[in-house]
Amino acid sequence: MDAGEIIVAQPSPRLYKSLTFRRIATKERTVPQDEEMKIRSPRFQDESLTAPFILDKKARSKAPTVVLGFECLESTAFNGIATNLVVYLETLLHGSNLASASNVTTWFGTSYLTPVFGAIIADTFWGNYNTILVSLVFYLLGMMLVTFSAFLPTTALCTVVGSSCQQPLLGAQTIAFLGLYLVAFGSGGVRAALLPFGADQFDDDNTADRERKMSFFSWFYICVDFGMIVSGLFIVWIQQNVSWGLGFGIATACIALAFGGFVLATPMYKRRMPTGTPIKSLAQVVVAACRKARLRVPADTTLLYEVHDKINQSKIAHTDQFGFLDKAAVVMESDLEEESNDVAADASWRICTVTQVEELKILLRLLPIWATSIVLSAAYAQLNTTFVQQGAAMNMQIMSFTIPPASMVSFEVLCVLAWVLMYSSVIVPMLNSLSLANGEPSQLQRMGAGRLLMAFAMAVAALVEMMRLDAAGRGESLSIAWQMPQYFALAGAEVFCYIAQLEFFYSEAPESMKSMCTSLALLTVALGSYMSSFIYAVVNAFTAVDGRPGWISDNLNEGHLDYFFWVMAALCTLNFVVYSAFARTYRVKLVVS
């Protein structure tokens, strides 16, 4: 491991709060050291150091502290709802196991899809500060509605098969789901803008500030996990042992306090003006290539168009994949005439540089790797759904303590921290001693290991469920402590896969597409959650027939959740095989000074 390298772990649901927690130091990059140490905002494209600022210099050092405190409160608020949501939908709102799990994964998917739109808005129109401010209004309103729903009377949902269920138009279910999706939209805007906004508070021209910025990313991660642990141990206990309304009320108070503190600290913030997106550049390559579809690409690729007169602008080396796109860089006499006549606007849609073409090729090469992350995220979604439901059917007594099943998520967070320490202090040194790798494993290797660990976690969950069903058949109850191995394996998959994935997408992305590629990494979380909901529906359609309860039954003792976990393990194994095929042939980006 390189000296000074910072490794932190961040699970998928926390994915967007950890967009860039490491200093990326890839062998392919040959940019100056000052630029290498610059941590780019995930929401900005090619931000200039001369961008307009609004800054109170005396208060500058306090702004990152405010952002960190904000994140502690925001993480506590969001997880105060998310961690135990499946239990709330089942108990207070009387949803079925299958419907509750599906609703939770759909909501999670939406919560991690909205940051993509938040990023576009922050980049193009509002900037980070205004995006956070407007998002907080929706966030707080949604939290208030969810809390209010816990105090409303509820009616059971379809307790008799085939019976019709009519809910009040403004009943607890309606208010709860309206609030949840307002939270999804509000939290999406905050996730898209908060981390880069915190990074903007540092001066990259100052060496000491650059070092403090590196520490800021690590502290930001600790704040994210702080919120998850507090909500998993404290708020969840209040919800299940005192009052759901009080538990949600504490979470709402956290986001209200964060909102107030953020607004009061406004005079001390440094703010960047929004910039555009690289979509136009990609479209120009496609249009130019189509216009020259009948041309042949010269055998000597050095004849392709490239600009060499821009100081300190790195170029991407030509590759022979997706050769059709190279036609966009084929030089014609008419192209040169347009350049000489300064018809730059039209010329950019007729001829593109090799670097522009390669930027589009990079995105195309990333797509198969990106697609396999969707299956991984679908398996990871079980952390807050079927894992919790499985734990609820077990003996929750560990020694003299009663452990709510949703609180096991806090154990998973601790396992993530343990895996981070093991990786840096045990795994990498062991590989070095065995001469299996020069330094730490590559990003692609770590992502592959994470996918394999996810399949193992699903298999362990299936074995635990088989043991639980066997114990239930004997009239006994299996201890919830048996879930610890599957949470530990899941945490390992998270550390190896998601952190490496963020690093990989960030390092492979062209300088003008850092935000786009990290947004693609987030999109896998959303699509994985939607895929999980789809899998639930398919499983129910094929198993809950002819009066049978199905694999994911309301009474898990009558179902076969173990079969579902075995299916997920097989799906993850197949996903690993497909990923390995693409990873072996992947060509990393080569930058030419």
Side-chain angles (χ1 to χ4, degrees):
M1 183 179 303
D2 296 335
E5 190 169 16
I6 297 176
I7 295 182
V8 298
Q10 191 70 330
S12 167
R14 304 185 288 283
L15 191 62
Y16 265 71
K17 295 172 182 156
S18 68
L19 284 176
T20 318
F21 280 0
R22 314 178 41 155
R23 180 176 62 193
I24 307 304
T26 59
K27 296 181 180 178
E28 294 78 28
R29 296 195 60 186
T30 56
V31 295
Q33 184 177 3
D34 286 344
E35 183 181 342
E36 184 66 27
M37 293 190 66
K38 178 183 177 183
I39 301 296
R40 281 184 169 270
S41 161
R43 298 277 68 90
F44 283 90
Q45 309 292 338
D46 285 335
E47 290 178 336
S48 171
L49 292 176
T50 61
F53 292 127
I54 301 174
L55 171 63
D56 181 346
K57 292 184 178 180
K58 294 182 179 179
R60 181 196 309 173
S61 60
K62 297 180 182 179
T65 304
V66 173
V67 173
L68 293 176
F70 178 98
E71 179 52 34
C72 283
L73 293 169
E74 189 276 330
S75 180
T76 302
F78 182 83
N79 289 289
I81 286 181
T83 303
N84 212 22
L85 181 59
V86 69
V87 178
Y88 176 66
L89 296 181
E90 290 175 3
T91 55
L92 208 66
L93 300 188
H94 309 293
S96 66
N97 276 359
L98 181 64
S100 298
S102 181
N103 284 328
V104 170
T105 53
T106 301
W107 177 73
F108 261 112
T110 304
S111 298
Y112 290 93
L113 176 63
T114 51
V116 177
F117 301 104
I120 295 173
I121 292 173
D123 269 350
T124 311
F125 304 107
W126 293 352
N128 286 329
Y129 175 82
N130 290 330
T131 301
I132 294 171
L133 205 60
V134 174
S135 298
L136 280 172
V137 175
F138 291 98
Y139 204 153
L140 180 58
L141 178 60
M143 295 288 292
M144 293 171 65
L145 289 177
V146 173
T147 302
F148 182 57
S149 72
F151 293 100
L152 293 177
T154 59
T155 55
L157 295 173
C158 298
T159 55
V160 180
V161 176
S163 64
S164 61
C165 302
Q166 295 183 351
Q167 300 295 333
L169 181 61
L170 293 177
Q173 290 83 5
T174 304
I175 297 297
F177 280 102
L178 176 60
L180 284 172
Y181 280 92
L182 283 174
V183 169
F185 282 97
S187 63
V190 172
R191 284 193 188 95
L194 184 61
L195 182 60
F197 180 75
D200 286 344
Q201 308 311 309
F202 298 91
D203 181 8
D204 286 323
D205 290 335
N206 185 289
T207 303
D209 244 16
R210 286 200 301 263
E211 294 300 323
R212 283 193 291 268
K213 178 189 277 191
M214 298 305 299
S215 299
F216 168 78
F217 286 114
S218 297
W219 279 107
F220 191 93
Y221 163 73
I222 292 173
C223 292
V224 173
D225 274 358
F226 170 84
M228 293 197 68
I229 293 174
V230 169
S231 62
L233 296 178
F234 177 61
I235 296 181
V236 166
W237 185 88
I238 290 177
Q239 289 167 347
Q240 296 202 221
N241 294 278
V242 181
S243 166
W244 283 98
L246 178 60
F248 288 151
I250 293 173
T252 303
C254 286
I255 199 63
L257 183 60
F259 194 173
F262 183 80
V263 173
L264 290 175
T266 296
M268 67 177 63
Y269 296 141
K270 177 171 67 175
R271 288 178 267 167
R272 290 183 185 272
M273 299 299 292
T275 59
T277 64
I279 302 297
K280 181 180 178 181
S281 176
L282 300 179
Q284 288 172 341
V285 174
V286 175
V287 171
C290 291
R291 283 181 169 181
K292 299 178 179 179
R294 296 183 179 180
L295 298 181
R296 288 187 178 182
V297 178
D300 184 2
T301 57
T302 60
L303 299 177
L304 295 176
Y305 181 66
E306 184 60 279
V307 177
H308 296 285
D309 58 350
K310 293 186 178 181
I311 301 175
N312 293 331
Q313 181 177 4
S314 60
K315 310 294 189 298
I316 304 177
H318 175 266
T319 60
D320 55 8
Q321 293 176 314
F322 309 108
F324 173 79
L325 297 176
D326 288 335
K327 296 184 179 185
V330 174
V331 181
M332 300 174 59
E333 289 186 7
S334 59
D335 297 328
L336 299 178
E337 291 175 1
E338 287 183 346
E339 272 205 329
S340 62
N341 293 329
D342 295 328
V343 192
D346 184 61
S348 61
W349 291 93
R350 292 181 177 276
I351 185 168
C352 301
T353 65
V354 171
T355 296
Q356 276 183 280
V357 173
E358 290 302 319
E359 287 174 348
L360 180 55
K361 288 184 181 181
I362 287 173
L363 290 183
L364 295 177
R365 283 196 294 265
L366 285 174
L367 283 179
I369 305 295
W370 172 83
T372 61
S373 298
I374 298 175
V375 178
L376 181 87
S377 295
Y380 187 86
Q382 308 316 308
L383 173 69
N384 291 95
T385 53
T386 52
F387 277 21
V388 176
Q389 292 170 336
Q390 182 188 46
M394 302 174 79
N395 180 8
M396 290 176 265
Q397 286 290 132
I398 298 181
M399 294 186 291
S400 59
F401 299 98
T402 300
I403 308 297
S407 293
M408 293 296 289
V409 175
S410 297
F411 173 74
E412 192 268 350
V413 174
L414 297 177
C415 289
V416 166
L417 298 176
W419 273 102
V420 171
L421 295 175
M422 287 173 54
Y423 177 80
S424 59
S425 60
V426 177
I427 296 176
V428 172
M430 182 179 67
L431 291 176
N432 287 334
S433 65
L434 295 175
S435 300
L436 295 179
N438 295 322
E440 67 175 297
S442 69
Q443 298 157 356
L444 288 169
Q445 289 171 335
R446 301 201 316 264
M447 291 162 64
R451 283 158 172 75
L452 198 58
L453 271 173
M454 185 62 76
F456 178 70
M458 294 296 107
V460 172
L463 291 173
V464 171
E465 180 63 13
M466 291 174 65
M467 294 171 58
R468 193 197 66 79
L469 288 173
D470 184 59
R474 300 192 306 269
E476 301 173 359
S477 182
L478 193 68
S479 172
I480 198 173
W482 283 98
Q483 279 195 309
M484 290 182 176
Q486 68 198 56
Y487 279 103
F488 183 76
L490 192 82
E494 183 180 315
V495 170
F496 275 96
C497 209
Y498 286 116
I499 301 304
Q501 176 175 293
L502 285 173
E503 179 184 341
F504 178 72
F505 274 61
Y506 186 90
S507 61
E508 282 296 293
E511 291 300 316
S512 62
M513 296 185 187
K514 300 296 185 184
S515 179
M516 174 181 291
C517 289
T518 47
S519 295
L520 284 176
L522 172 61
L523 190 58
T524 63
V525 181
L527 296 179
S529 294
Y530 291 137
M531 182 180 180
S532 180
S533 297
F534 175 74
I535 293 173
Y536 293 149
V538 172
V539 167
N540 186 61
F542 281 93
T543 62
V545 294
D546 300 329
R548 289 179 293 179
W551 289 356
I552 309 177
S553 171
D554 289 343
N555 183 353
L556 291 184
N557 293 335
E558 298 176 356
H560 267 292
L561 191 58
D562 54 333
Y563 292 173
F564 171 77
F565 285 138
W566 283 123
V567 168
M568 293 303 297
L571 190 61
C572 289
T573 302
L574 178 62
N575 186 59
F576 168 74
V577 173
V578 173
Y579 167 82
S580 299
F582 285 109
R584 286 195 194 98
T585 59
Y586 187 89
R587 295 185 180 182
V588 296
K589 179 181 68 175
L590 180 62
V591 174
V592 180
S593 296

